[in-house]
Amino acid sequence: MKFFVDTAEVSEIRSLAEAGLVDGVTTNPSLIAKSGRKMAEVIAEICAITPGPVSAEVTATEYEDMLAEGRYLREIAPNVAVKVPLTEAGLGTCRALSAEGTLVNVTLCFSAAQALLAAKAGATFISPFVGRLDDIATDGMLLIADIVKIYRNYPHIKTEVLVASIRHPIHLVEAAKLGAGVATLPPAVIRQLLKHPLTDRGLEAFLADWRKTGQSIL
Ligand code: G3P
């Protein structure tokens, strides 16, 4: 499973990349706004940190404008994945950009039917938002199960399921059990994946016993 980091905070991406935990990055207009930086500048900096796909989202809503924005964003760096919303104009833009060899991440997916349309439009990635479904008492992981099952019925579909809107480690584990290819995680959730109290306690005990030996390895 590939781990993407869901943030536009360069310092977070850099530290996680140094730990080998970054296979790509996803941003969205809200994350860019939160960074307080110009989109082209921060996307360029992120693309220089990781060779993996870096999602940069269009903000136009009409086809021609979306296409123009997508063609601009892809020029920022070779590893830019243009993000488009799951609308009719977004799917048209996805089809056009993917036909031109551009990576496309179709976002704001909330149904299996939408995911099927994105695959038909040639999406590189489909981003179903599990957390936002959970937020309205709808099991987001059932959507992931449906999309993975449907895509597996059609070997010609090369669209990767990029599980998004992840709120906690269980979302990640369940997505991995289902065979989703990619998960995009807030930095805090990536760090939560690492933690277990028994690991901490076990390490403390090992080191306490080691100190009693008076030895040092070097
Ligand atoms: O960036 C796409 C998605 O991961 C955002 O999720 O629900 O935390 O805003 P959310």
Side-chain angles (χ1 to χ4, degrees):
M1 173 181 254
K2 285 178 264 187
F3 281 17
F4 288 9
V5 185
D6 198 32
T7 185
E9 297 300 329
V10 170
S11 58
E12 290 272 29
I13 297 165
R14 204 182 300 282
S15 68
L16 289 167
E18 282 161 9
L21 292 171
V22 178
D23 298 313
V25 176
T26 54
T27 71
N28 60 46
S30 301
L31 292 172
I32 297 292
K34 189 177 172 190
S35 76
R37 298 183 59 184
K38 294 226 178 292
M39 181 193 263
E41 176 193 295
V42 70
I43 293 297
E45 191 169 347
I46 294 171
C47 287
I49 296 172
T50 174
V54 176
S55 290
E57 189 163 341
V58 300
T59 56
T61 54
E62 300 303 319
Y63 172 73
E64 291 298 338
D65 297 333
M66 275 184 171
L67 191 54
E69 287 186 357
R71 285 171 172 159
Y72 168 82
L73 290 171
R74 73 183 180 198
E75 293 307 315
I76 294 172
N79 52 327
V80 164
V82 175
K83 218 178 190 185
V84 297
L86 219 152
T87 61
E88 190 169 344
L91 290 180
T93 304
C94 175
R95 178 176 302 285
L97 289 176
S98 58
E100 293 171 355
T102 303
L103 297 176
V104 182
N105 179 358
V106 177
T107 190
L108 288 167
C109 173
F110 294 96
S111 76
Q114 286 181 320
L116 193 50
L117 289 174
K120 287 175 70 66
T124 313
F125 303 106
I126 182 66
S127 290
F129 281 31
V130 296
R132 294 194 190 185
L133 285 168
D134 286 6
D135 291 346
I136 59 166
T138 304
D139 186 345
M141 217 35 80
L142 292 180
L143 173 59
I144 303 303
D146 284 351
I147 296 171
V148 168
K149 184 178 180 182
I150 289 169
Y151 280 13
R152 279 191 182 139
N153 288 342
Y154 303 97
H156 69 282
I157 289 179
K158 303 304 179 199
T159 303
E160 288 197 85
V161 180
L162 195 171
V163 182
S165 188
I166 286 182
R167 297 277 192 272
H168 49 69
I170 298 301
H171 275 156
L172 185 278
V173 170
E174 292 304 317
K177 286 180 184 175
L178 290 169
V182 192
T184 192
L185 303 132
V189 174
I190 294 181
R191 294 194 175 91
Q192 279 178 275
L193 296 174
L194 280 169
K195 296 303 286 178
H196 195 293
L198 289 182
T199 303
D200 297 341
R201 205 178 305 161
L203 182 58
E204 280 168 24
F206 284 161
L207 296 179
D209 290 342
W210 177 251
R211 280 191 290 275
K212 291 172 191 165
T213 72
Q215 294 181 57
S216 66
I217 293 173
L218 297 178

